[in-house]
Amino acid sequence: MRRKFLLLVASLCCGVPPASAAPACPAVTRVGLSDLGYAAYREQGRIAGISVDIAREMARRSGCKFEFHWYPRQRLFIELAAGHIDMTMGSLRLPERDAYADHLPYAWVQYDLVLADPGTQHYTSLSDFVARGTGRLNVTRGLAYDPAIETQLARLAAAGRLEVVNDFETVFGKLEMGRADGTLATPPIYSKYLKQSRLQARAAIVPLPESAPRVTGIYLSRNTVPADTRQYYAAVVKAMLADQAVQGIFAHYFDDAAVKRAFKPGLAPLLNGLSTPDKPR
């Protein structure tokens, strides 16, 4: 009875359907995650991070059962497209993913250039690093970049200054050992790895003009998750943004400046994207 009352209150203030209007939960919602620093990580046999906290809060509010599955980043969306999992977390919105899944946005991310030890060099952009630098970048398979970044990565590859590896744990391990000079990563990723390594004292972070803020969030399979359930989950995430629950989860991992950056472009586009998740946009 208490849960029905709380859902009714949430529906009146934040757009969550009351319990009587909520669809039946699936037997289980299979949630796919991969290495994204503080967004998702494995530690002592457990999966944790911002994405896990958001998914658990969704499960608590919806009353549905969520089950977590870990994959390499390049395999995550293959599993989603094949119907082996029902949703992915920490996912940028891309047209090829829109073909088979709905995107539920909950924050913004932006890539920075992370240099292990820039010495006396100061770079203003990725193109500046490509033109004037000699260092090698390592990047992770399965990530999507802005077209301007892709152009510069192609130049690095042609010059033999780019290597693609499986995950960020490998990337930052190589940076610490001096086997790579830099990488591209978002604040949730590099904040965790720099904090845990000797790189923190000497690493430099270069904000990239080639990288625009992009929405990150959840992809829900249209093949395995019914439309009414997708809409219900969208309403739950919308309520979590409206009552600051998502922002509070980010604040557990980051300082005020990093949290503000994750929401600086505004809540309106995120909330709008959660209003009609099953319609082409």
Side-chain angles (χ1 to χ4, degrees):
M1 190 70 186
R2 181 174 180 271
R3 178 177 173 269
K4 288 185 177 181
F5 173 75
L6 291 175
L7 282 172
L8 178 60
V9 171
S11 72
L12 295 175
C13 73
C14 307
V16 178
S20 60
C25 289
V28 64
T29 298
R30 300 163 297 176
V31 182
L33 299 132
S34 60
D35 174 23
L36 287 174
Y38 279 130
Y41 60 91
R42 289 189 296 183
E43 189 172 81
Q44 298 180 344
R46 71 185 184 97
I47 302 174
I50 293 168
S51 295
V52 173
D53 293 351
I54 290 174
R56 283 181 174 152
E57 180 63 11
M58 287 177 64
R60 186 188 71 81
R61 294 189 183 209
S62 66
C64 300
K65 180 182 178 182
F66 284 24
E67 181 180 273
F68 299 118
H69 298 262
W70 187 266
Y71 296 101
R73 193 68 184 175
Q74 69 271 23
R75 185 179 159 194
L76 186 65
F77 293 96
I78 295 173
E79 296 293 321
L80 183 67
H84 298 156
I85 54 176
D86 305 303
M87 60 189 276
T88 63
M89 306 295 293
S91 305
L92 293 179
R93 188 168 180 225
L94 297 174
E96 57 267 32
R97 298 170 184 171
D98 287 347
Y100 57 84
D102 291 348
H103 193 253
L104 311 184
Y106 56 66
W108 301 84
V109 293
Q110 193 169 7
Y111 286 107
D112 295 328
L113 172 63
V114 182
L115 296 175
D117 189 357
T120 59
Q121 291 281 11
H122 297 281
Y123 300 103
T124 59
S125 65
L126 181 58
S127 59
D128 186 28
F129 172 78
V130 172
R132 296 196 299 115
T134 58
R136 295 166 295 114
L137 291 190
N138 272 209
V139 296
T140 302
R141 289 185 178 88
L143 295 184
Y145 299 105
D146 304 73
I149 289 179
E150 293 283 7
T151 298
Q152 298 305 322
L153 292 180
R155 292 179 61 189
L156 284 174
R161 295 170 55 195
L162 184 71
E163 184 178 354
V164 182
V165 298
N166 287 334
D167 52 50
F168 282 103
E169 185 176 3
T170 301
V171 168
F172 282 89
K174 293 181 68 176
L175 291 177
E176 191 166 9
M177 291 185 290
R179 293 170 54 196
D181 300 294
T183 189
L184 301 179
T186 62
I189 296 169
Y190 63 72
S191 295
K192 180 178 187 296
Y193 283 105
L194 291 182
K195 184 177 181 180
Q196 296 176 339
S197 77
R198 293 170 292 177
L199 290 170
Q200 189 172 23
R202 65 179 190 270
I205 308 298
V206 181
L208 298 181
E210 295 96 342
S211 178
R214 300 173 67 179
V215 291
T216 186
I218 297 162
Y219 261 112
L220 277 172
S221 171
R222 287 198 293 273
N223 296 321
T224 65
V225 183
D228 58 350
T229 302
R230 298 197 307 271
Q231 292 168 1
Y232 182 46
Y233 284 166
V236 170
V237 176
K238 188 174 184 178
M240 289 169 59
L241 276 172
D243 66 17
Q244 304 284 305
V246 174
Q247 296 88 321
I249 290 171
F250 273 76
H252 179 72
Y253 294 87
F254 302 120
D255 60 22
D256 288 346
V259 174
K260 287 179 180 177
R261 184 179 182 187
F263 299 95
K264 185 178 179 180
L267 286 182
L270 304 178
L271 296 172
N272 182 61
L274 291 163
S275 297
T276 52
D278 60 334
K279 295 180 181 178
R281 302 187 296 281

